[in-house]
C-alpha cells in the first residue's frame, strides 16, 4: 500500500469556542489554541482540525458562515490565525479547516444579493423554486425540524435550507458558485493550511426538479462530479489531506469517494457505527443499549471493505456526538478510566486515521448537570425540544430533558477541563463561560492527567508513540475474530510477516477468553499485569508477535 503522511497521522479536533479562552470573555479563541500548542504536541497529535472559525451570526455555532475569508471576532483576527499556523508548523503540527459549502449563512453577501431579485449576478447562487399551489415546493424537512423551504416575498419564491432557515443551500449546478468556492479554497491553501474537513459534502448536489416524492438529496451522482472537478481544480495541486463528512454512506460508495485512484477525497467520516443505539423515530433522542456484535460487524465491514482500496477515518467522538465514555463505556468513578482507555485502543489499533476530539484523551464525560432547557445552547437540541414537547406533545418535558442529557451535542461542547481552578482553567476571568463547565472538572482535568503515568492521557500518548514506531498499526490489514461474541472484541492485524492482536473486554465483568498469545509480547494494556485468558472489567491488551 502506498504510504502517505495523512495515513500515518493522528488528528486532534479543536472546537475553538470550548477549548481555551485567552481574553476572559468566556469564549475560547485562537490565542487560546496558540497557548496550548505544547499540550497537543505532548499528546503526539500531528494535525489539528479546527471547527469553523469564520465570520458567522452563529445560529449553528459557526456552521453558518457569512464571510469565508474573515475570522469570527469572538475568536480573534486573521493575524492571530496566521500566527497559529506559523507556530503550529514550527512544532511540526499541520492545520486543517472546516469547509462548509453545502450552505452559507443568510447573512453572506451572496445570499443578501440573491434574495433581492430573480435577475442579478447572484440570483442562481442558491436553490430557488416556485411554490406548489401556494405551498412549499415539496415536503422535505429540515434536519433541524420544520419545512426545508422558506418563502421570500421579494422573489415570490422559496429557498431551500436543509438545516436552519438561516443556512440557505448553495446551488452547485451553477459554475459560478463552484468557481467562487474553488477560488476561496485556493486562497486558504496558498496561505499554507494543510487541508479540509468537508461539512455534509455528500449533500451538495441537488436534483433539478423538486416534486413531492423526490428523495432526500444525499449521494446524488453529481456529488462525485463536483468532487472530481474540485480535485482537478484545487486539491491535487497541494500536498494536503481531505476528509468528507458523509451521512448515510456505505463502504461500496466510500470506495469511490475515498478510493486511492478516485481523485476525489482522502477519506470520509461515515456514520453507520454512530446510529446503532439510535431510535428509528426519535433518533438520538431515544438511545437504546448497544449490541456489541452489531458494532463489530459494522466497523469490521468498513475495515475489510476499504482495505487496499480506500482509507478509513476512525472516530468515536466529535462536536456532534455525546461523549463516548458515557455512551459506550462507563463514566462511573470505578470504570471511567479503564473503559476510556479500552475504547481508545479498540479504535486506534484499527486501520485508518484516528481522530481525537478535545477532551476524549482525558476521558471527559457527558454533563449530567444540564438541568433546565436554558442550560442547553445547541440549536438542534432546542429545536428538537420544541418539536417533541411543545408542538407534537409526544414527550413530556422531563422525558425530553433526560434525552438531551444523554444525546445532546452540547455534551461534547462543554469547556475543555484544563485544571482544578474555577471554570476548569478554561477562561482567565471569573466570567461564566458561554456554556456550563462540567462539574466533574476537579476529578477530570488535563493537569492531573498529564502528571499521572497511568492516566487516560498517558495511554493516548503512548498509543500515538507506538503508531510512529510500528507501521503495522497504520498499514496492517484487519481481521475480526469471533464476530458473535457479545462481551469481547478481538481482532488481528497483519503486515509484512508480523501479527498484532487486540483483545478487549467490553463489559464491566470478568470474563475469560483463550487466545494463542504465546510468543507474543504485550505492546499496550490498561492493567499493570497480564493474566492471560482471564480478562478483568474493560481490560484491553495489544500483543505483537516477536519476529
Ligand atoms: C455538520 C456539522 C454540524 C452542523 C451541520 C450543518 O453535520 O458537523 O455541526 O450543524 O453540519 O452545517
Amino acid at each position: 500500500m502506498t504510504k502517505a503522511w495523512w495515513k500515518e497521522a493522528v488528528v486532534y479536533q479543536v472546537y475553538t469556542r470550548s477549548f481555551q479562552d485567552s481574553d476572559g470573555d468566556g469564549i475560547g479563541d485562537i490565542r487560546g489554541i496558540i497557548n496550548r500548542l505544547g499540550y497537543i504536541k505532548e499528546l503526539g497529535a500531528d494535525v489539528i482540525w479546527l471547527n469553523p472559525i469564520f465570520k458567522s451570526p452563529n445560529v449553528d455555532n459557526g456552521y453558518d458562515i457569512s464571510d469565508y475569508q474573515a475570522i469570527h471576532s469572538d475568536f480573534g483576527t486573521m493575524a492571530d490565525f496566521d500566527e497559529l499556523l506559523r507556530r503550529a508548523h514550527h512544532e511540526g503540527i499541520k492545520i486543517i479547516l472546516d469547509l462548509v459549502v453545502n450552505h452559507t449563512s443568510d447573512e453572506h453577501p451572496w445570499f443578501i444579493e440573491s434574495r433581492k431579485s430573480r435577475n442579478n449576478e447572484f440570483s442562481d447562487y442558491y436553490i430557488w423554486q416556485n411554490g406548489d399551489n401556494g405551498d412549499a415546493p415539496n415536503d422535505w424537512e429540515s434536519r433541524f425540524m420544520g419545512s426545508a423551504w422558506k418563502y421570500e416575498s421579494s422573489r415570490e419564491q422559496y429557498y431551500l435550507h436543509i438545516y436552519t432557515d438561516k443556512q440557505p443551500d448553495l446551488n452547485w449546478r451553477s459554475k459560478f458558485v463552484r468557481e467562487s468556492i474553488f477560488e476561496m479554497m485556493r486562497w486558504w491553501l496558498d496561505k499554507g493550511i494543510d487541508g479540509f474537513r468537508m461539512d455534509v459534502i455528500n449533500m451538495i448536489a441537488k436534483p433539478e426538479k423538486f416534486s413531492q416524492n423526490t428523495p432526500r438529496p444525499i449521494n446524488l451522482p453529481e456529488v462525485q462530479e463536483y468532487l472530481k472537478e474540485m480535485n482537478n481544480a484545487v486539491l491535487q495541486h497541494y500536498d494536503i489531506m481531505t476528509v468528507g463528512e458523509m451521512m448515510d454512506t456505505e463502504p461500496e460508495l466510500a470506495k469511490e469517494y475515498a478510493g486511492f485512484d478516485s481523485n476525489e477525497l482522502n477519506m470520509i467520516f461515515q456514520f453507520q457505527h454512530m446510529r446503532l443505539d439510535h431510535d428509528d423515530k426519535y433518533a438520538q433522542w431515544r438511545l437504546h443499549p448497544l449490541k456489541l456484535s452489531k458494532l463489530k460487524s459494522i466497523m469490521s465491514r468498513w475495515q475489510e471493505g476499504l482495505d487496499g482500496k480506500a482509507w478509513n477515518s476512525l472516530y468515536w467522538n466529535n462536536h456532534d456526538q455525546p461523549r463516548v465514555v458515557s455512551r459506550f463505556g462507563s463514566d462511573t468513578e470505578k470504570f471511567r478510566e479503564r473503559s476510556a482507555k479500552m475504547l481508545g485502543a479498540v479504535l486506534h489499533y484499527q486501520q485508518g486515521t484516528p481522530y481525537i476530539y478535545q477532551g476524549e484523551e482525558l476521558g471527559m464525560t457527558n454533563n449530567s448537570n444540564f438541568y433546565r432547557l436554558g442550560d442547553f445552547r445547541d440549536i438542534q437540541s432546542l429545536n428538537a425540544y420544541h418539536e417533541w414537547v411543545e408542538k407534537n406533545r409526544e414527550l413530556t418535558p422531563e422525558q425530553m430533558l433526560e434525552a438531551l442529557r444523554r444525546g445532546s451535542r452540547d455534551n461534547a461542547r462543554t469547556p475543555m477541563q484544563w485544571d482544578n481552578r474555577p471554570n476548569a482553567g478554561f477562561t482567565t476571568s471569573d466570567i461564566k463561560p458561554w456554556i456550563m463547565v462540567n462539574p466533574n472538572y476537579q476529578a477530570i482535568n488535563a493537569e492531573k492527567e498529564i502528571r499521572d503515568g497511568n492516566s487516560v492521557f498517558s495511554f493516548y500518548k503512548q498509543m500515538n508513540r507506538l503508531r510512529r514506531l510500528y507501521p503495522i498499526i497504520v498499514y496492517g490489514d484487519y481481521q475480526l475474530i469471533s464476530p458473535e461474541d457479545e462481551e469481547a472484541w478481538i481482532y488481528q492485524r497483519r503486515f509484512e510477516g508480523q501479527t498484532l492482536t487486540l483483545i478487549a473486554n467490553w463489559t464491566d465483568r470478568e470474563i475469560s477468553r483463550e487466545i494463542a498469545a504465546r510468543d507474543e509480547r504485550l505492546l499496550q494494556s490498561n492493567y499493570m499485569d497480564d493474566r492471560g485468558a482471564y480478562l478483568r472489567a474493560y481490560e484491553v491488551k495489544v500483543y505483537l508477535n516477536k519476529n
Side-chain angles (χ1 to χ4, degrees):
M1 191 186 306
T2 329
K3 301 204 160 165
W5 65 261
W6 46 266
K7 293 179 183 165
E8 295 169 16
V10 174
V11 182
Y12 188 77
Q13 183 187 350
V14 170
Y15 196 72
T16 306
R17 187 161 287 275
S18 304
F19 193 60
Q20 174 72 72
D21 173 22
S22 74
D23 60 1
D25 62 358
I27 299 172
D29 46 45
I30 293 174
R31 284 242 133 247
I33 308 173
I34 295 176
N35 296 343
R36 295 295 185 177
L37 276 175
Y39 172 82
I40 298 171
K41 187 165 167 83
E42 163 99 18
L43 176 63
D46 311 279
V47 178
I48 296 174
W49 152 27
L50 289 180
N51 286 98
I53 47 169
F54 317 102
K55 188 169 172 202
S56 158
N58 232 22
V59 291
D60 187 17
N61 279 4
Y63 283 94
D64 48 320
I65 297 170
S66 54
D67 185 344
Y68 288 108
Q69 280 152 262
I71 301 292
H72 197 298
S73 56
D74 282 350
F75 298 150
T77 62
M78 193 59 82
D80 293 333
F81 177 79
D82 291 340
E83 185 178 336
L84 171 64
L85 189 62
R86 202 176 57 245
R87 304 256 296 254
H89 283 170
H90 184 75
E91 297 291 349
I93 297 173
K94 297 181 191 288
I95 295 203
I96 68 171
L97 295 183
D98 228 301
L99 182 76
V100 188
V101 288
N102 175 68
H103 46 267
T104 67
S105 162
D106 66 340
E107 295 179 33
H108 192 290
W110 297 340
F111 190 76
I112 294 175
E113 286 309 306
S114 189
R115 80 187 326 169
K116 280 184 187 157
S117 69
R118 295 189 189 194
N119 45 25
N120 67 60
E121 198 189 331
F122 297 95
S123 299
D124 293 336
Y125 263 52
Y126 295 83
I127 318 266
W128 292 99
Q129 290 286 307
N130 295 328
D132 179 17
N133 284 325
D135 231 335
N138 70 12
D139 59 358
W140 283 4
E141 288 203 341
S142 145
R143 290 197 93 98
F144 289 168
M145 304 293 172
S147 168
W149 297 96
K150 186 166 182 193
Y151 186 69
E152 176 63 55
S153 52
S154 48
R155 286 182 61 139
E156 297 184 333
Q157 279 184 315
Y158 289 80
Y159 67 85
L160 177 69
H161 60 90
I162 299 279
Y163 291 88
T164 72
D165 59 6
K166 284 188 66 67
Q167 292 164 293
D169 283 53
L170 282 162
N171 173 21
W172 276 73
R173 285 184 187 275
S174 153
K175 181 166 112 273
F176 299 107
V177 166
R178 301 199 299 276
E179 278 172 2
S180 306
I181 291 170
F182 298 161
E183 198 187 323
M184 174 272 284
M185 292 171 73
R186 276 187 221 106
W187 186 84
W188 279 106
L189 291 166
D190 290 338
K191 224 180 211 310
I193 68 157
D194 304 285
F196 294 106
R197 174 268 187 188
M198 303 187 184
D199 192 58
V200 293
I201 200 72
N202 59 337
M203 304 211 300
I204 55 176
K206 305 287 159 23
E208 256 183 307
K209 295 206 170 57
F210 300 82
S211 61
Q212 286 307 343
N213 33 29
T214 311
R216 281 181 147 277
I218 285 200
N219 294 322
L220 298 191
E222 290 87 350
V223 174
Q224 291 197 40
E225 269 172 42
Y226 300 149
L227 289 177
K228 284 191 201 300
E229 188 181 329
M230 180 196 281
N231 192 303
N232 270 328
V234 185
L235 306 177
Q236 63 169 242
H237 304 288
Y238 301 85
D239 178 22
I240 54 172
M241 68 170 271
T242 52
V243 50
E245 186 199 25
M246 302 221 188
M247 267 165 261
D248 300 333
T249 302
E250 297 269 341
E252 275 313 302
L253 199 52
K255 276 190 255 179
E256 297 178 25
Y257 285 132
F260 293 143
D261 307 317
S262 305
N263 292 324
E264 294 181 27
L265 303 177
N266 294 143
M267 58 192 126
I268 73 160
F269 288 131
Q270 59 89 13
F271 280 74
Q272 293 191 308
H273 67 310
M274 289 281 110
R275 298 272 158 90
L276 298 173
D277 55 352
H278 279 198
D279 188 81
D280 284 346
K281 179 170 174 197
Y282 295 101
Q284 77 264 46
W285 310 121
R286 185 170 288 167
L287 295 178
H288 300 297
L290 178 78
K291 221 170 163 215
L292 180 63
S293 58
K294 271 200 177 165
L295 180 65
K296 291 195 292 188
S297 136
I298 289 284
M299 292 187 74
S300 304
R301 225 151 56 79
W302 281 88
Q303 286 291 300
E304 285 156 14
L306 266 51
D307 184 38
K309 303 187 184 82
W311 196 247
N312 270 298
S313 70
L314 306 170
Y315 76 95
W316 290 135
N317 266 128
N318 59 40
H319 62 292
D320 293 330
Q321 302 294 337
R323 292 281 178 181
V324 72
V325 70
S326 303
R327 184 176 179 185
F328 295 162
S330 163
D331 58 12
T332 58
E333 208 187 318
K334 191 160 175 210
F335 295 126
R336 185 188 63 85
E337 284 202 15
R338 299 252 193 242
S339 66
K341 292 174 193 169
M342 184 277 286
L343 288 164
V346 165
L347 189 74
H348 284 231
Y349 283 99
Q350 295 185 31
Q351 188 191 75
T353 300
Y355 289 73
I356 304 171
Y357 177 70
Q358 64 184 44
E360 187 175 350
E361 75 284 7
L362 308 176
M364 273 178 65
T365 67
N366 280 353
N367 181 5
S368 55
N369 232 34
F370 283 138
Y371 279 122
R372 298 164 302 123
L373 189 62
D375 293 334
F376 291 91
R377 298 286 176 270
D378 167 34
I379 183 91
Q380 184 195 29
S381 306
L382 301 175
N383 285 1
Y385 184 95
H386 175 71
E387 180 83 7
W388 298 116
V389 178
E390 289 160 2
K391 214 167 124 213
N392 299 342
R393 296 181 184 275
E394 288 197 37
L395 298 176
T396 65
E398 293 69 36
Q399 281 172 326
M400 192 63 204
L401 281 174
E402 184 50 33
L404 292 178
R405 264 173 227 132
R406 293 182 64 195
S408 171
R409 310 196 291 182
D410 279 340
N411 282 304
R413 301 175 181 185
T414 61
M416 178 74 175
Q417 293 164 209
W418 291 108
D419 52 45
N420 61 9
R421 288 178 300 162
N423 287 327
F426 163 69
T427 166
T428 48
S429 73
D430 50 17
I431 201 170
K432 254 193 171 166
W434 72 275
I435 189 170
M436 180 196 291
V437 176
N438 191 323
N440 64 16
Y441 71 91
Q442 305 270 359
I444 307 169
N445 64 63
E447 195 184 56
K448 198 167 159 214
E449 293 264 328
I450 292 169
R451 262 191 277 118
D452 174 1
N454 284 318
S455 64
V456 182
F457 180 88
S458 299
F459 190 89
Y460 268 80
K461 189 173 152 182
Q462 198 195 357
M463 281 199 297
N464 295 341
R465 200 175 54 82
L466 291 168
R467 185 178 179 84
R468 288 214 176 86
L469 295 177
Y470 298 100
I472 186 171
I473 301 175
V474 179
Y475 295 107
D477 66 6
Y478 168 102
Q479 199 196 350
L480 178 65
I481 316 286
S482 51
E484 282 86 37
D485 195 332
E486 294 293 352
E487 298 176 320
W489 192 333
I490 305 173
Y491 62 74
Q492 288 195 313
R493 310 276 313 275
R494 287 202 172 73
F495 184 68
E496 297 183 342
Q498 278 193 324
T499 307
L500 178 148
T501 308
L502 178 139
I503 303 157
N505 177 358
W506 195 266
T507 75
D508 59 6
R509 299 175 306 277
E510 289 158 4
I511 60 172
S512 152
R513 292 291 179 279
E514 204 54 63
I515 15 105
R518 297 298 159 252
D519 39 300
E520 300 185 325
R521 80 185 166 84
L522 193 59
L523 208 57
Q524 199 175 15
S525 163
N526 58 353
Y527 278 83
M528 288 300 199
D529 56 334
D530 185 357
R531 300 204 185 155
Y534 173 65
L535 299 171
R536 287 150 287 186
Y538 296 112
E539 180 158 3
V540 66
K541 301 194 279 190
V542 184
Y543 294 102
L544 190 67
N545 72 351
K546 276 192 182 130
N547 49 337

